Amino acid sequence: GTSPLSDNVEGNKSNEDSTSVLYVHEKLGLQKPFEVEQGENLATGPDVDGIRITGLNTRLKDFDIRAEKSLGAEIREISALAGPALGSVIADPLMSLIDTACVGQQCSLELAALGPNTAIFNLVFQVFAFIGVATTNVIASKLPSAPGLSEEEREARKLETGKLMSNAFTLAMVSGVLCCIIMETIPKALLVTMGASPEMMAPALTYLKIRALASPAVMVMCAAQDAWTPLKIFCAAGVVNLVLDVYLITFAGYGIAGAAWATLFAQYLGASAFMPYIAMASALAPGAIVRMTGYAILTCKATYIGTIASAAHQVGLQVFRFLAFIPEPLSITAQSLIARDFKKRERVRRLAKTLLASGVTAGCVLGLVVVGIFAYLPWLFTSDPMVVAAIQELCPQAFFAIITLSTIMVMDGIAIGSGDFSYLPRTSMLATAGCWIGAQYCTGIGSVWWTLLVFFGLRLMYHFGHVVQRWDSHPLGNFKAKLC
């Protein structure tokens, strides 16, 4: 392109270089200028603010500027988005994990009663994650901070994104109220559907009817994201929940009802802190919904097997689910960055591969963590030796399952960010069908968790098959042809 200043520079050799530098600086939105020698045509230019300038000719009429971010800059950008997003995805699993740990120290029956409850809450709340998907993708294409915008355009985008986030916040509130009404109206039917036995029905009903009142707060917390603010608030809410759980369950003797009241209070406290910070929701609806469906199927099967199996599954699933949410910000980041830079094919291809490698690495690290917890720390969640032994049997299944899931999350994000997500419902149908069929042949808690691995494995296989099928047009392939 040519600068509007070219008429002033043409024939003025002394000012050509400085004006060129200023033009490049403004065009790329750099934080500081860089220096080039007059008349120099660079094959690879300087690395400024993490952006490498290539193909630079200092004559303004011949400008051919390409910005190529270094690997380090890409990793920093991914971290800047993924770190804060962690807060919005751990809110509900953190509360359930704390409840599981505290209740499990007191009573195995009440611990088992948490199983069908958490399956209900996971499934119901994740169904409404479409709010986050829609908001994330629209905002990614309308960021006020995008380079090359005038002040008027930036202000217009701020107003537009603010209105969008406000609507998402309102929709989250309405969805939460509707969920609360449904769960308060037919609690017993929901628990029976999830496999609750007659002996655990009383404590399960108590927990469900109390915690259902927190539905609006949970929806708001899941639909709120503002830099590092959510992560700090969720951590504070988790501490409040832990303190109240210990007091109400251990010292006041309220048992599972105390856990429900503690979670209710902590979630409303966390939601109230977001009122000044209404921002975009972020979640991956297709992946989240199918995960919760699989969890619900396997929870039903574990509950039918028996109390020990149900209690072990409750502890194992809550630890697994909590850790499994940690790589989800990488999926959210993939949605945002791939959608934003989609026309820059080389950058998107490199970015997609970096994200995929990050997902696999995160899965391996989390696999070691989950094995360590299952093998050496189950006593944090239960004092029953039979339940402890059952949890320890799940180490290999949990290790491979969390690596597989972490990889799937990133591939889901790449698919949505690139607009190539029409095949995702088919992966969900295949995985859910495989999970349901596998559950029919489960005879113990170990086979239930092998079915969990099959459930995730089917989705990953479909993803890789799709990449191979569209190798020339997929960001993880050659990415040369246009996506159909």
Side-chain angles (χ1 to χ4, degrees), residues 169 173 216-221 224 233-234 237 265-276:
F169 180 81
M173 289 282 291
V218 175
M219 295 295 183
V220 170
M221 293 174 76
I233 292 174
F234 291 139
F265 180 81
Q267 287 178 329
Y268 270 107
L269 182 66
S272 66
F274 284 112
M275 295 304 176

mmCIF file of all heavy atoms in Angstrom, residues 169 173 216-221 224 233-234 237 265-276:
data_model
loop_
_atom_site.group_PDB
_atom_site.id
_atom_site.type_symbol
_atom_site.label_atom_id
_atom_site.label_comp_id
_atom_site.label_asym_id
_atom_site.label_seq_id
_atom_site.Cartn_x
_atom_site.Cartn_y
_atom_site.Cartn_z
ATOM 1 N N PHE A 169 -25.349 -11.415 29.460
ATOM 2 C CA PHE A 169 -25.546 -11.423 30.909
ATOM 3 C C PHE A 169 -27.025 -11.612 31.254
ATOM 4 O O PHE A 169 -27.387 -12.402 32.139
ATOM 5 C CB PHE A 169 -25.033 -10.100 31.479
ATOM 6 C CG PHE A 169 -25.165 -9.969 32.970
ATOM 7 C CD1 PHE A 169 -24.239 -10.555 33.813
ATOM 8 C CD2 PHE A 169 -26.198 -9.237 33.529
ATOM 9 C CE1 PHE A 169 -24.355 -10.428 35.185
ATOM 10 C CE2 PHE A 169 -26.322 -9.106 34.893
ATOM 11 C CZ PHE A 169 -25.397 -9.698 35.728
ATOM 12 N N MET A 173 -28.949 -14.846 33.178
ATOM 13 C CA MET A 173 -29.826 -14.729 34.341
ATOM 14 C C MET A 173 -31.150 -15.452 34.107
ATOM 15 O O MET A 173 -31.626 -16.207 34.963
ATOM 16 C CB MET A 173 -30.089 -13.251 34.643
ATOM 17 C CG MET A 173 -28.900 -12.499 35.193
ATOM 18 S SD MET A 173 -28.637 -12.848 36.949
ATOM 19 C CE MET A 173 -30.058 -12.031 37.654
ATOM 20 N N PRO A 216 -29.139 -19.227 39.081
ATOM 21 C CA PRO A 216 -28.884 -17.925 38.442
ATOM 22 C C PRO A 216 -27.465 -17.427 38.675
ATOM 23 O O PRO A 216 -26.836 -16.870 37.767
ATOM 24 C CB PRO A 216 -29.924 -17.001 39.093
ATOM 25 C CG PRO A 216 -31.012 -17.916 39.540
ATOM 26 C CD PRO A 216 -30.326 -19.169 39.976
ATOM 27 N N ALA A 217 -26.947 -17.633 39.883
ATOM 28 C CA ALA A 217 -25.589 -17.175 40.190
ATOM 29 C C ALA A 217 -24.549 -17.916 39.370
ATOM 30 O O ALA A 217 -23.587 -17.325 38.866
ATOM 31 C CB ALA A 217 -25.301 -17.360 41.682
ATOM 32 N N VAL A 218 -24.746 -19.237 39.202
ATOM 33 C CA VAL A 218 -23.798 -20.031 38.414
ATOM 34 C C VAL A 218 -23.789 -19.563 36.969
ATOM 35 O O VAL A 218 -22.726 -19.433 36.346
ATOM 36 C CB VAL A 218 -24.147 -21.530 38.491
ATOM 37 C CG1 VAL A 218 -23.238 -22.332 37.576
ATOM 38 C CG2 VAL A 218 -24.000 -22.025 39.919
ATOM 39 N N MET A 219 -24.971 -19.308 36.405
ATOM 40 C CA MET A 219 -25.044 -18.856 35.020
ATOM 41 C C MET A 219 -24.316 -17.525 34.836
ATOM 42 O O MET A 219 -23.593 -17.316 33.856
ATOM 43 C CB MET A 219 -26.505 -18.698 34.588
ATOM 44 C CG MET A 219 -27.289 -19.988 34.565
ATOM 45 S SD MET A 219 -26.667 -21.135 33.320
ATOM 46 C CE MET A 219 -27.858 -22.465 33.498
ATOM 47 N N VAL A 220 -24.480 -16.627 35.784
ATOM 48 C CA VAL A 220 -23.816 -15.327 35.700
ATOM 49 C C VAL A 220 -22.301 -15.497 35.786
ATOM 50 O O VAL A 220 -21.545 -14.878 35.030
ATOM 51 C CB VAL A 220 -24.311 -14.400 36.824
ATOM 52 C CG1 VAL A 220 -23.444 -13.138 36.898
ATOM 53 C CG2 VAL A 220 -25.761 -14.011 36.580
ATOM 54 N N MET A 221 -21.850 -16.359 36.694
ATOM 55 C CA MET A 221 -20.412 -16.569 36.847
ATOM 56 C C MET A 221 -19.806 -17.176 35.592
ATOM 57 O O MET A 221 -18.675 -16.850 35.205
ATOM 58 C CB MET A 221 -20.138 -17.459 38.054
ATOM 59 C CG MET A 221 -20.482 -16.807 39.383
ATOM 60 S SD MET A 221 -20.328 -17.929 40.787
ATOM 61 C CE MET A 221 -18.551 -17.986 40.997
ATOM 62 N N ALA A 224 -19.312 -14.450 32.728
ATOM 63 C CA ALA A 224 -18.553 -13.244 33.065
ATOM 64 C C ALA A 224 -17.068 -13.480 32.856
ATOM 65 O O ALA A 224 -16.532 -14.490 33.256
ATOM 66 C CB ALA A 224 -18.813 -12.842 34.523
ATOM 67 N N ILE A 233 -11.787 -13.672 41.664
ATOM 68 C CA ILE A 233 -13.071 -13.801 42.353
ATOM 69 C C ILE A 233 -13.413 -15.263 42.615
ATOM 70 O O ILE A 233 -13.886 -15.626 43.693
ATOM 71 C CB ILE A 233 -14.184 -13.112 41.539
ATOM 72 C CG1 ILE A 233 -13.950 -11.597 41.533
ATOM 73 C CG2 ILE A 233 -15.569 -13.433 42.106
ATOM 74 C CD1 ILE A 233 -14.897 -10.826 40.651
ATOM 75 N N PHE A 234 -13.171 -16.141 41.638
ATOM 76 C CA PHE A 234 -13.468 -17.557 41.819
ATOM 77 C C PHE A 234 -12.590 -18.177 42.900
ATOM 78 O O PHE A 234 -13.036 -19.032 43.652
ATOM 79 C CB PHE A 234 -13.292 -18.315 40.501
ATOM 80 C CG PHE A 234 -14.325 -17.967 39.471
ATOM 81 C CD1 PHE A 234 -13.965 -17.800 38.147
ATOM 82 C CD2 PHE A 234 -15.648 -17.789 39.825
ATOM 83 C CE1 PHE A 234 -14.907 -17.466 37.190
ATOM 84 C CE2 PHE A 234 -16.606 -17.464 38.873
ATOM 85 C CZ PHE A 234 -16.233 -17.303 37.562
ATOM 86 N N ALA A 237 -14.114 -17.028 46.117
ATOM 87 C CA ALA A 237 -15.354 -17.765 46.373
ATOM 88 C C ALA A 237 -15.056 -19.199 46.793
ATOM 89 O O ALA A 237 -15.735 -19.765 47.665
ATOM 90 C CB ALA A 237 -16.241 -17.763 45.131
ATOM 91 N N PHE A 265 -24.134 -20.003 49.059
ATOM 92 C CA PHE A 265 -23.660 -18.683 49.512
ATOM 93 C C PHE A 265 -22.437 -18.233 48.716
ATOM 94 O O PHE A 265 -22.353 -17.087 48.271
ATOM 95 C CB PHE A 265 -23.316 -18.742 51.003
ATOM 96 C CG PHE A 265 -22.814 -17.437 51.555
ATOM 97 C CD1 PHE A 265 -23.697 -16.429 51.922
ATOM 98 C CD2 PHE A 265 -21.445 -17.208 51.695
ATOM 99 C CE1 PHE A 265 -23.233 -15.224 52.421
ATOM 100 C CE2 PHE A 265 -20.969 -16.008 52.193
ATOM 101 C CZ PHE A 265 -21.872 -15.006 52.551
ATOM 102 N N ALA A 266 -21.469 -19.147 48.526
ATOM 103 C CA ALA A 266 -20.233 -18.789 47.824
ATOM 104 C C ALA A 266 -20.499 -18.400 46.375
ATOM 105 O O ALA A 266 -19.881 -17.463 45.846
ATOM 106 C CB ALA A 266 -19.242 -19.950 47.894
ATOM 107 N N GLN A 267 -21.436 -19.100 45.710
ATOM 108 C CA GLN A 267 -21.707 -18.792 44.306
ATOM 109 C C GLN A 267 -22.420 -17.457 44.145
ATOM 110 O O GLN A 267 -22.132 -16.699 43.208
ATOM 111 C CB GLN A 267 -22.517 -19.930 43.680
ATOM 112 C CG GLN A 267 -21.663 -21.174 43.444
ATOM 113 C CD GLN A 267 -22.423 -22.344 42.875
ATOM 114 O OE1 GLN A 267 -23.606 -22.509 43.140
ATOM 115 N NE2 GLN A 267 -21.750 -23.176 42.105
ATOM 116 N N TYR A 268 -23.331 -17.139 45.042
ATOM 117 C CA TYR A 268 -23.970 -15.818 44.962
ATOM 118 C C TYR A 268 -22.991 -14.708 45.318
ATOM 119 O O TYR A 268 -23.047 -13.608 44.753
ATOM 120 C CB TYR A 268 -25.200 -15.762 45.871
ATOM 121 C CG TYR A 268 -26.456 -16.200 45.154
ATOM 122 C CD1 TYR A 268 -27.044 -17.425 45.425
ATOM 123 C CD2 TYR A 268 -27.048 -15.392 44.187
ATOM 124 C CE1 TYR A 268 -28.193 -17.844 44.758
ATOM 125 C CE2 TYR A 268 -28.196 -15.791 43.517
ATOM 126 C CZ TYR A 268 -28.759 -17.019 43.803
ATOM 127 O OH TYR A 268 -29.878 -17.418 43.130
ATOM 128 N N LEU A 269 -22.084 -14.988 46.245
ATOM 129 C CA LEU A 269 -21.066 -14.001 46.584
ATOM 130 C C LEU A 269 -20.175 -13.727 45.379
ATOM 131 O O LEU A 269 -19.877 -12.570 45.059
ATOM 132 C CB LEU A 269 -20.223 -14.513 47.759
ATOM 133 C CG LEU A 269 -19.133 -13.567 48.267
ATOM 134 C CD1 LEU A 269 -19.760 -12.319 48.876
ATOM 135 C CD2 LEU A 269 -18.259 -14.271 49.304
ATOM 136 N N GLY A 270 -19.770 -14.798 44.685
ATOM 137 C CA GLY A 270 -18.953 -14.626 43.497
ATOM 138 C C GLY A 270 -19.686 -13.907 42.380
ATOM 139 O O GLY A 270 -19.139 -13.023 41.719
ATOM 140 N N ALA A 271 -20.967 -14.253 42.177
ATOM 141 C CA ALA A 271 -21.751 -13.626 41.110
ATOM 142 C C ALA A 271 -21.950 -12.135 41.367
ATOM 143 O O ALA A 271 -21.915 -11.322 40.436
ATOM 144 C CB ALA A 271 -23.101 -14.314 40.974
ATOM 145 N N SER A 272 -22.142 -11.761 42.630
ATOM 146 C CA SER A 272 -22.368 -10.351 42.946
ATOM 147 C C SER A 272 -21.153 -9.493 42.605
ATOM 148 O O SER A 272 -21.283 -8.312 42.274
ATOM 149 C CB SER A 272 -22.706 -10.205 44.435
ATOM 150 O OG SER A 272 -21.595 -10.559 45.243
ATOM 151 N N ALA A 273 -19.967 -10.079 42.653
ATOM 152 C CA ALA A 273 -18.758 -9.322 42.347
ATOM 153 C C ALA A 273 -18.634 -9.000 40.870
ATOM 154 O O ALA A 273 -17.840 -8.135 40.488
ATOM 155 C CB ALA A 273 -17.527 -10.106 42.809
ATOM 156 N N PHE A 274 -19.414 -9.673 40.010
ATOM 157 C CA PHE A 274 -19.323 -9.440 38.579
ATOM 158 C C PHE A 274 -20.233 -8.334 38.088
ATOM 159 O O PHE A 274 -20.180 -7.980 36.910
ATOM 160 C CB PHE A 274 -19.658 -10.728 37.809
ATOM 161 C CG PHE A 274 -18.557 -11.727 37.819
ATOM 162 C CD1 PHE A 274 -18.702 -12.921 38.504
ATOM 163 C CD2 PHE A 274 -17.373 -11.481 37.168
ATOM 164 C CE1 PHE A 274 -17.698 -13.846 38.528
ATOM 165 C CE2 PHE A 274 -16.355 -12.396 37.177
ATOM 166 C CZ PHE A 274 -16.515 -13.585 37.861
ATOM 167 N N MET A 275 -21.069 -7.811 38.942
ATOM 168 C CA MET A 275 -22.015 -6.795 38.485
ATOM 169 C C MET A 275 -21.319 -5.619 37.792
ATOM 170 O O MET A 275 -21.800 -5.142 36.770
ATOM 171 C CB MET A 275 -22.867 -6.303 39.667
ATOM 172 C CG MET A 275 -23.771 -7.377 40.247
ATOM 173 S SD MET A 275 -24.858 -8.090 38.979
ATOM 174 C CE MET A 275 -25.668 -9.372 39.934
ATOM 175 N N PRO A 276 -20.169 -5.132 38.280
ATOM 176 C CA PRO A 276 -19.507 -4.024 37.570
ATOM 177 C C PRO A 276 -18.700 -4.491 36.358
ATOM 178 O O PRO A 276 -18.180 -3.682 35.615
ATOM 179 C CB PRO A 276 -18.564 -3.437 38.621
ATOM 180 C CG PRO A 276 -18.934 -4.069 39.922
ATOM 181 C CD PRO A 276 -19.523 -5.387 39.575
#
